[in-house]
Every structure is written in C-alpha cells, then in structure tokens.
Amino acid sequence: MGRVAGIVLCLLVVIMDVAAGFLGFEAEKAQNKVKHVRVLMFECKKPSHQAFILGSGAALLLGVAHATANFLGCCSCIWSQGKTSSNRKCSLLFIIISWLVLAIGMYMLVTGTMSNKKSDGPCGFNHHYYLYNGGILCFVHGILCVVYCVSNCFC
C-alpha cells in the first residue's frame, strides 16, 4: 500500500509541476502581448492582469508541489535510524537540490509576476523571460522531486 501511495504522490507532484510550468509559459506570453517602450535596461509598459494571475498560479502550484513532495512524500526515510545507505544519501542530495531549484524558480516567478502588478508604476527594470525561466525550473523541480521520492522508496 505504501508504494502505491508513493506512486500516486509522485504523479500528483509531477502534474502540479507541469501545470506550474505551463502557467509560467502562458504568463510570459500574456506579458509579451502588452505594449511597452524599452530604453536600455528600463522599460515602460502597461501591466498585464492576465500575466499577474497566471504567474501567481504558477508560483502557488510550485510551492504546493514542493510541500507535497517534502512533507507527505517519504520524509521519514531520511530521519529513520540505522545505517545510512547510498539511497538515503542520494535522496538527501536531491532534496537539497530541489530546495535550491525551488528558491530560484520561486524568485523568478514572483519577480516576473510582481512586475505585472497593477499598483506598481508603469516604468522599471526589465524582467523579460523571468516567467518563462521560472516555468522551466518548475519542470526541473518536478524531475528532482520524482527522483527524490523514488530514491526514498528504496531506502
């Protein structure tokens, strides 16, 4: 029963990460549809409400997927007592890397999303491709979390 639940959990995390990645891509498309004037690093544009909503959804799904993979997914294997196997070391390595990818991906998604916030002024720094790159990191996060869960299942 535990392995079936682990497989379902891995699929759930993958689905959430893939959905977050596609939301990041769609947010980037919506952001590129608004008119803007670019002068060096500064950019004046109208914020895109659709990009704000899609980017917020992508960041939320990435956070929920990470929480699901960490707290509901085989976390007890790392904290269990006994000899440290190579699978435990591997799972610890992948959970640390997934935390790093989460931090960078969340930063990119939130920065790209906040550049489309309506209350901000119309001019500021250039945040092109932040939402797109954040979407790519959602896919990377999904792969890392699956490897983490699989290595935990074989502890």
Side-chain angles (χ1 to χ4, degrees):
M1 180 71 177
R3 290 193 190 254
V4 172
I7 291 170
V8 169
L9 191 68
C10 281
L11 287 175
L12 182 66
V13 168
V14 167
I15 289 170
M16 285 190 286
D17 276 324
V18 167
F22 282 123
L23 284 176
F25 294 161
E26 291 299 317
E28 184 71 32
K29 283 183 192 176
Q31 180 179 351
N32 289 337
K33 287 181 182 177
V34 296
K35 294 181 180 181
H36 63 277
V37 176
R38 187 173 173 188
V39 178
L40 297 176
M41 323 186 338
F42 297 102
E43 166 179 52
C44 295
K45 67 175 178 73
K46 291 182 181 179
S48 171
H49 182 67
Q50 185 180 7
F52 180 78
I53 297 296
L54 292 171
S56 298
L60 178 72
L61 276 175
L62 179 62
V64 170
H66 188 74
T68 302
N70 279 298
F71 299 118
L72 300 177
C74 305
C75 242
S76 62
C77 183
I78 291 177
W79 302 113
S80 66
Q81 294 183 1
K83 291 184 178 180
T84 305
S85 69
S86 61
N87 284 342
R88 286 189 190 156
K89 290 177 185 177
C90 181
S91 67
L92 184 61
L93 174 70
F94 280 104
I95 196 65
I96 290 170
I97 294 171
S98 75
W99 272 96
L100 291 172
V101 169
L102 171 80
I104 296 168
M106 191 66 78
Y107 170 77
M108 294 188 104
L109 287 172
V110 169
T111 302
T113 299
M114 295 310 280
S115 69
N116 288 298
K117 189 174 155 183
K118 286 195 179 227
S119 65
D120 286 347
C123 295
F125 284 107
N126 202 350
H127 296 297
H128 284 292
Y129 303 112
Y130 271 43
L131 293 168
Y132 181 79
N133 291 333
I136 290 174
L137 288 175
C138 290
F139 292 121
V140 172
H141 181 265
I143 292 168
L144 290 171
C145 286
V146 166
V147 172
Y148 163 68
C149 287
V150 167
S151 66
N152 267 341
C153 288
F154 296 111
C155 278

